[in-house]
Amino acid sequence: MSSEITRFEPSQASGSASEITRRRPGARPTRLPPAYDGVLGEYATALERAPLSAETRRTYRSRVRMFLSWLADHAATYSADPLADRQARDWAVRDYRMWLLRDGPAKRSRVYVNSALTALDDFHVRRGLGKADVAREDLPRNAPRALEERARIRWLRAVEAHLSPRGRCIALIPYYAGARISEVVRLDVDDIQMSARKGRLRLYGKGGKFREVDIHPKLRAELQLWLDERPNWPHAGDNGALFLNAKGGRLTTRAAGGIIAEIAQTAGLDDPTTAHVLRHTLATTLVRGKTDLVLVAEILGHARLETTRRYSLPSDKDKEDALKLITVDR
């Protein structure tokens, strides 16, 4: 089994520079007290009128819901209402940032914390309070986490052993095409163009912008198997979504993420493996294989080359390996 990722030629580049972290597959939305639930409802209504993508709206709602849940347990510690007073708001957001980073039950990454602060800025601006006076976290000068060679082989073997062609495709599209999980579930049947030997995949990013990438031969074979099976699924004839759920609706990001998590568990990988990690794996392979950065940016849909350059930075494993080379004369 080879873990080699071949190069792709995109025809159009677009999309966001980063993918937003998602809730753990199977998790349920946090419950809120009635007063805060009303606040979230007002915010959700305002978001629906905002010129944002559906994925951004969903993420902002999720981040704000989590903040309001935390605030429900901590609001009494502030002398004024953090949802109405600017100074109290700043203190609350600073405390929440530390709770995410250090004090909460699940320590969050600095990337996640910055994403949460962006959502809270949007929330407070729409409430008329303006952005909180809270600094962003400095991001680590490391390459994004990607699968190492042995982990890639274990991953591909687990995908190959997975019984469902639908699941195998969902697992391979981020790995071979660099798609975000939201782009995977957004695919329609018409976004797949395949001939006898070649294929093109049209991926839609934020704002409806799209890019096209060549379909890797191994992904092409799995897509053909799924397209052959798909007509047997409920509502396959009247739903254009490429990936259907058991009721014939479009598969959700949570469900697709759960499929990837299940395969990763079967592979016995040491660290959590998500579509985002698989996307990073493709990018790391291409950049370290000396593929032109502009081309990699087009494949991934990066708006800025600075985002793509991160993959040329040393990884945690690179630093660990470097330390092993250091010898001390005695």
Side-chain angles (χ1 to χ4, degrees):
M1 172 72 70
S2 171
S3 62
E4 180 182 0
I5 301 175
T6 57
R7 298 184 181 184
F8 300 86
E9 297 293 337
S11 64
Q12 181 166 343
S14 65
S16 170
S18 63
E19 182 180 13
I20 302 173
T21 308
R22 291 177 176 76
R23 187 168 60 241
R24 174 179 55 82
R28 293 291 181 265
T30 307
R31 283 188 169 274
L32 295 175
Y36 284 172
D37 194 51
V39 169
L40 181 65
E42 293 173 0
Y43 177 60
T45 300
L47 280 179
E48 290 303 317
R49 299 192 294 267
L52 300 170
S53 70
E55 183 66 16
T56 298
R57 293 190 191 103
R58 187 202 69 78
T59 302
Y60 279 12
R61 283 196 302 269
S62 175
R63 299 288 188 268
V64 170
R65 176 187 287 275
M66 188 171 174
F67 170 71
L68 291 175
S69 175
W70 173 88
L71 189 60
D73 295 331
H74 296 81
T77 63
Y78 303 102
S79 58
D81 182 3
L83 296 181
D85 181 86
R86 284 183 170 84
Q87 187 175 40
R89 172 211 56 197
D90 288 351
W91 282 114
V93 174
R94 289 169 191 164
D95 291 344
Y96 181 62
R97 179 189 62 179
M98 293 310 301
W99 183 82
L100 289 173
L101 285 169
R102 185 189 64 194
D103 301 328
K107 306 300 184 291
R108 301 289 183 169
S109 70
R110 284 174 279 185
V111 172
Y112 179 96
V113 171
N114 285 348
S115 169
L117 293 177
T118 298
L120 292 181
D121 277 349
D122 183 81
F123 170 67
H124 288 120
V125 166
R126 295 186 193 281
R127 288 185 61 81
L129 287 177
K131 297 181 180 180
D133 184 17
V134 179
R136 295 295 191 269
E137 293 297 315
D138 292 332
L139 296 180
R141 297 294 295 172
N142 285 9
R145 187 169 71 83
L147 297 182
E148 299 295 333
E149 182 68 17
R150 291 183 181 179
R152 295 183 202 181
I153 293 173
R154 289 162 64 183
W155 165 257
L156 289 174
R157 286 175 176 169
V159 173
E160 188 177 86
H162 193 70
L163 296 178
S164 166
R166 184 193 68 163
R168 294 197 297 271
C169 289
I170 290 169
L172 291 178
I173 290 175
Y175 183 83
Y176 282 130
R180 304 172 176 92
I181 193 69
S182 58
E183 295 169 344
V184 173
V185 299
R186 199 175 290 144
L187 283 167
D188 287 337
V189 174
D190 292 342
D191 295 323
I192 310 297
Q193 303 170 11
M194 291 198 299
S195 63
R197 295 183 179 180
K198 297 182 179 181
R200 305 284 288 177
L201 189 67
R202 184 187 296 116
L203 297 169
Y204 285 88
K206 293 182 178 181
K209 297 178 181 178
F210 74 90
R211 65 190 186 277
E212 291 185 348
V213 297
D214 289 338
I215 299 176
H216 189 282
K218 292 182 180 178
L219 174 58
R220 182 188 171 283
E222 296 297 347
L223 280 170
Q224 189 59 62
L225 289 174
W226 167 238
L227 290 173
D228 292 341
E229 179 185 303
R230 185 183 176 281
N232 299 323
W233 283 59
H235 300 290
D238 50 51
N239 188 338
L242 177 63
F243 297 117
L244 304 171
N245 60 30
K247 296 182 179 179
R250 183 181 295 272
L251 196 70
T252 65
T253 55
R254 279 180 58 197
I259 290 170
I260 291 176
E262 177 187 349
I263 295 175
Q265 184 175 19
T266 302
L269 302 182
D270 296 331
D271 297 318
T273 299
T274 64
H276 210 35
V277 171
L278 299 173
R279 170 178 160 86
H280 290 332
T281 301
L282 172 69
T284 300
T285 301
L286 294 178
V287 170
R288 297 195 173 195
K290 307 303 181 182
T291 304
D292 184 83
L293 284 180
V294 173
L295 180 58
V296 179
E298 291 178 358
I299 292 170
L300 298 177
H302 284 164
R304 298 183 301 123
L305 275 181
E306 286 304 313
T307 305
T308 313
R309 286 194 179 96
R310 289 184 59 207
Y311 295 100
S312 63
L313 296 173
S315 66
D316 288 336
K317 187 175 186 304
D318 291 331
K319 294 178 180 180
E320 291 174 4
D321 291 343
L323 288 175
K324 293 176 182 177
L325 298 176
I326 298 175
T327 60
V328 179
D329 294 330
R330 295 184 181 276

